[in-house]
Amino acid sequence: MSRLLFCGLGAVAGFGGVLTTALCKDNVAFDPKEWRPFKLTGVTKITHNTAAFRFALPTPDSVTGLETASCITVRYPGEDGKDVVRPYTPTTLNEEKGSFELVIKRYDGGKMSNHIFGLKVGETLDVKGPFLKQKYTPNMYQHLGLIAGGTGVAPMYQVMKTIAVNPSDKTEVDLIFGNVSPNDILLKSELDAISKHSNIRVHYIVDKADKSWKGDVGFITGDVIKKYFPGPKPGAYVMVCGPPGMMKAISGPKNKDYTQGPLDGILKELGYTSEQVFKF
């Protein structure tokens, strides 16, 4: 969630102060060409099927080397002898030294998610990366609209956190975050905290809710997007990440080779162009 490292000193303002890190390549723990093992140090339950997994970097001064917005890949050897490989987006900033965190949702039949949930503290997970998905630089957009479903919030949180810790970044941000129920909302305490930033707003929408729920109920429709986004005007940009059904409805799916593919769905109907939308 941060910039690539160079030798020297760098500082980024945090929520309560300044995060300072030595920007030296020797501190970078990840490698995009080499699988490296990282030890699990802790697990925090988030929902009934989601948890945050904390992995140690080699030294207390190590950083990940992630740029915004980047992902990593993780692997383990499958029963058939072939590696099982999946991409994930860390929720920690590059400036946060000594460890990194992955928020994982456990799926029935999900090989990697079940493997990670089966790890014991002290065991390791192989990681390769980072791999830059969409480079973000401060103030490159006037308004950034983020649409996420479920674990698709991870790269959005990476972008939001990068903006929040940089006082010179004046980008206006609105996140529309869809979930099945209030109990399924991932990173809610973190999102509530980051929404206190003057430029960042978070809008929750759930399929099912009881009478105590104060947010939107239903699906992410064109009316919901028009309610919170300024529309396809100059300086506006939208990022989308979520399950296949949501992607198809909102922006159209990516191509089979994982390139962006043509823009379709609700965003196209609202007048956005492919130059104004990125699909994670």
Side-chain angles (χ1 to χ4, degrees):
M1 271 182 247
S2 162
R3 54 191 67 98
L4 194 63
L5 300 185
F6 299 93
C7 287
L9 288 177
V12 177
F15 294 113
V18 174
L19 295 173
T20 304
T21 191
L23 301 186
C24 198
K25 194 171 182 180
D26 289 344
N27 288 353
V28 178
F30 293 164
D31 190 310
K33 298 180 180 180
E34 178 183 299
W35 290 104
R36 295 181 176 179
F38 295 91
K39 185 179 295 184
L40 179 66
T41 59
V43 181
T44 303
K45 182 178 179 180
I46 299 176
T47 71
H48 66 284
N49 62 356
T50 308
F53 295 82
R54 176 73 59 167
F55 295 87
L57 298 177
T59 74
D61 291 323
S62 296
V63 292
T64 58
L66 286 164
E67 288 186 273
T68 301
S70 296
C71 72
I72 59 174
T73 53
V74 302
R75 74 167 182 181
Y76 79 93
E79 294 179 359
D80 58 0
K82 297 180 181 179
D83 286 344
V84 177
V85 180
R86 296 289 186 272
Y88 287 102
T89 302
T91 55
T92 37
L93 282 172
N94 182 66
E95 285 78 11
E96 299 173 47
K97 298 185 287 185
S99 66
F100 69 97
E101 184 179 82
L102 298 176
V103 173
I104 310 292
K105 182 175 181 178
R106 189 173 196 167
Y107 293 95
D108 292 337
K111 293 181 179 180
M112 183 59 73
S113 64
N114 280 284
H115 172 75
I116 294 175
F117 268 81
L119 290 176
K120 296 179 175 62
V121 170
E123 294 183 328
T124 62
L125 183 68
D126 285 350
V127 174
K128 182 190 285 189
F131 303 103
L132 186 64
K133 303 268 292 187
Q134 172 76 332
K135 186 174 179 63
Y136 176 81
T137 56
N139 301 304
M140 65 188 301
Y141 312 115
Q142 294 176 15
H143 183 273
L144 187 56
L146 308 175
I147 303 174
T151 55
V153 75
M156 308 308 188
Y157 182 59
Q158 186 186 87
V159 173
M160 295 165 71
K161 201 171 179 183
T162 299
I163 293 170
V165 299
N166 185 351
S168 66
D169 195 335
K170 307 303 182 184
T171 306
E172 294 290 331
V173 181
D174 283 277
L175 167 68
I176 301 173
F177 186 20
N179 286 275
V180 175
S181 73
N183 291 333
D184 293 302
I185 297 174
L186 307 182
L187 301 173
K188 189 172 188 304
S189 61
E190 291 86 350
L191 292 171
D192 288 345
I194 208 170
S195 67
K196 294 177 182 177
H197 188 283
S198 60
N199 292 1
I200 297 176
R201 295 160 294 276
V202 177
H203 315 284
Y204 301 109
I205 181 168
V206 298
D207 300 351
K208 306 171 185 176
D210 58 28
K211 294 181 179 180
S212 65
W213 176 247
K214 303 299 183 184
D216 291 316
V217 178
F219 298 101
I220 300 175
T221 63
D223 287 340
V224 172
I225 294 172
K226 287 191 290 184
K227 180 179 177 181
Y228 297 119
F229 291 1
K233 65 180 185 180
Y237 197 77
V238 178
M239 296 180 177
V240 188
C241 189
M246 191 201 89
M247 297 293 291
K248 181 180 179 179
I250 301 296
S251 60
K254 295 175 74 170
N255 289 327
K256 290 183 178 180
D257 62 358
Y258 299 106
T259 54
Q260 287 291 290
L263 180 66
D264 203 351
I266 294 171
L267 290 176
K268 182 178 180 180
E269 293 171 1
L270 292 178
Y272 289 90
T273 67
S274 57
E275 289 74 27
Q276 293 177 299
V277 178
F278 182 78
K279 310 171 193 177
F280 280 101

